[in-house]
Amino acid sequence: KQWYQRRVAITAGGHIELARKRHGRRFDHDEKLRKKNARSSHKESMKAKKLHGLKAKLYNKKRHSEKIQMKKAIKMHEEKQTKAKDSDNVQEGAVPAYLLDRETQTRAKVLSNMVKQKRKEKAGKWKVPIPQVK
């Protein structure tokens, strides 16, 4: 009876886990896995090139949605601290655009403008008028 129970457990897919538990993985398993994951994008692009028709449409739709999710995740991680307009201080009635407060620039934009201004100043510092030759 014990042999039968052990046999059922192994055929149910437990033999792989059992072998790993007893003997471990290959010494270069992590490196192989990393390389395989790095090469997977090449395989995906080859598959996208070879597919035709409806399968190609479905596959590209799935890939497009994955790319959008990845870009959103990257954007969330790269978000910088910016000044946001307070929506609580909304006055009653419509206010024309020229009366609105102009202090809603983002910090990142102000920073990039300052860097550009400094570059212009540095470039202008070394400019020397060159006399034209007649």
Side-chain angles (χ1 to χ4, degrees), residues 70-83:
M70 190 180 296
K71 284 183 181 178
K72 282 183 183 176
I74 290 170
K75 200 171 187 181
M76 276 176 46
H77 289 295
E78 288 183 354
E79 268 186 359
K80 296 182 177 93
Q81 287 183 348
T82 55
K83 288 184 197 172

Side-chain angles (χ1 to χ4, degrees), residues 1-18:
K1 193 172 182 181
Q2 289 176 347
W3 172 84
Y4 176 75
Q5 288 173 343
R6 193 175 53 184
R7 183 76 178 150
V8 170
I10 290 174
T11 54
H15 60 284
I16 296 171
E17 288 81 19
L18 192 63

Side-chain angles (χ1 to χ4, degrees), residues 4-134:
Y4 176 75
Q5 288 173 343
R6 193 175 53 184
R7 183 76 178 150
V8 170
I10 290 174
T11 54
H15 60 284
I16 296 171
E17 288 81 19
L18 192 63
R20 268 196 211 128
K21 191 173 163 185
R22 286 181 184 158
H23 308 292
R25 295 180 186 262
R26 285 175 59 122
F27 70 97
D28 61 344
H29 171 78
D30 296 327
E31 186 68 14
K32 279 188 162 215
L33 201 63
R34 184 190 64 78
K35 286 183 177 180
K36 185 179 180 182
N37 290 334
R39 284 190 295 263
S40 67
S41 60
H42 299 289
K43 282 190 175 183
E44 295 288 315
S45 64
M46 289 300 293
K47 188 176 179 182
K49 282 182 183 177
K50 288 180 182 178
L51 286 174
H52 294 288
L54 187 62
K55 280 189 178 181
K57 277 187 175 183
L58 294 171
Y59 185 76
N60 288 329
K61 186 177 180 183
K62 187 183 84 170
R63 258 186 108 184
H64 181 67
S65 64
E66 286 173 1
K67 282 185 181 180
I68 289 172
Q69 291 293 335
M70 190 180 296
K71 284 183 181 178
K72 282 183 183 176
I74 290 170
K75 200 171 187 181
M76 276 176 46
H77 289 295
E78 288 183 354
E79 268 186 359
K80 296 182 177 93
Q81 287 183 348
T82 55
K83 288 184 197 172
K85 188 176 177 183
D86 293 333
S87 59
D88 300 336
N89 300 337
V90 177
Q91 297 175 351
E92 301 247 349
V95 181
Y98 61 87
L99 292 177
L100 289 173
D101 187 17
R102 299 293 183 189
E103 285 297 317
T104 57
Q105 270 190 326
T106 60
R107 282 193 193 130
K109 190 166 187 170
V110 171
L111 192 66
S112 67
N113 286 341
M114 284 173 51
V115 169
K116 285 178 188 174
Q117 192 65 33
K118 282 187 180 180
R119 277 193 196 141
K120 283 180 185 175
E121 288 172 8
K122 276 188 179 180
K125 193 186 287 184
W126 304 108
K127 272 191 179 175
V128 178
I130 302 169
Q132 289 185 345
V133 179
K134 291 183 180 178

